[in-house]
Amino acid sequence: MDINVWLGQLMTITMIALALGFDAFSLGIGIGLRGIRYLHILKLSVVIGLFHILMPIGGMLTGKMMSVVLGEWATVAAGVLLILLGLHMIVNSLKEEETQLFDHRTFWGLMLLAFSVSVDSFSVGITLGMFQLPLWITVLLFGCFGALMAMLGLTVGKRVSHSLGEYGETLGGVILVVFGIYFIV
């Protein structure tokens, strides 16, 4: 593979990982504002990072199967998926109501929280599976960014106002929409 192509793919994966991490960041701020111990910050961040690795793997495997079926339309379908996911993130960030249906300190609450912020990683994994990007680099970046952004959001949430989290999720959605348009064009 040409070094320029590889670097371009690496930059694309990194930006998508960052965009997906903003979801964990914004949720982390919301939880952090309610008060959280540093041990819980570490535990939540690690579990969210693991889910940001596992969910795209499942999505990429699904995406590889879809690319065989969709053929040359795979790139357009991938771009449309990214745009829809980005728009969904933007709309969710603009909603005013926020409810917490689970306690992140319990095992099932932790699993549900990690799953909820990683579902979009599955969708993006489907898209990335259509592009034949390196699996191990992709999932490691997704996991690292998911964990780091969750940790940052939880820590910042302990100290600052809630409005920053909404902007973080909006920015993540905008980044996904831009990449979706790039894939289509």
Side-chain angles (χ1 to χ4, degrees):
M1 181 184 299
D2 181 25
I3 189 70
N4 289 330
V5 171
W6 191 87
L7 288 174
Q9 288 180 352
L10 181 63
M11 189 171 91
T12 300
I13 292 169
T14 302
M15 293 301 292
I16 291 172
L18 179 64
L20 293 173
F22 273 116
D23 202 18
F25 176 77
S26 63
L27 185 67
I29 287 178
I31 291 172
L33 284 172
R34 293 182 193 95
I36 187 168
R37 296 173 47 202
Y38 286 109
L39 180 62
H40 288 272
I41 289 174
L42 181 62
K43 184 167 57 169
L44 274 171
S45 299
V46 168
V47 172
I48 288 171
L50 289 174
F51 269 76
H52 270 76
I53 289 173
L54 296 175
M55 295 296 281
I57 288 174
M60 288 176 80
L61 295 174
T62 303
K64 286 184 188 294
M65 289 186 291
M66 288 178 63
S67 68
V68 171
V69 173
L70 295 175
E72 61 189 54
W73 287 98
T75 304
V76 173
V80 169
L81 282 173
L82 281 176
I83 290 170
L84 291 175
L85 180 61
L87 290 174
H88 177 69
M89 286 175 68
I90 292 167
V91 168
N92 278 345
S93 72
L94 299 175
K95 289 182 180 177
E96 290 187 21
E97 75 276 352
E98 183 174 331
T99 57
Q100 184 177 359
L101 302 175
F102 50 88
D103 182 2
H104 68 278
R105 294 170 295 232
T106 66
F107 174 79
W108 291 112
L110 176 63
M111 293 298 119
L112 186 59
L113 172 72
F115 179 77
S116 70
V117 299
S118 301
V119 168
D120 51 356
S121 295
F122 179 84
S123 303
V124 172
I126 290 173
T127 303
L128 294 173
M130 293 179 195
F131 287 103
Q132 310 296 324
L133 296 171
L135 176 65
W136 65 274
I137 292 174
T138 302
V139 296
L140 285 177
L141 282 171
F142 280 14
C144 288
F145 274 90
L148 290 174
M149 294 297 284
M151 187 178 292
L152 181 63
L154 289 162
T155 304
V156 168
K158 275 183 84 125
R159 305 195 191 300
V160 300
S161 74
H162 180 68
S163 61
L164 182 61
E166 294 171 8
Y167 293 123
E169 188 173 1
T170 303
L171 179 60
V174 169
I175 290 171
L176 289 180
V177 168
V178 167
F179 275 109
I181 292 170
Y182 174 74
F183 288 155
I184 290 174
V185 175

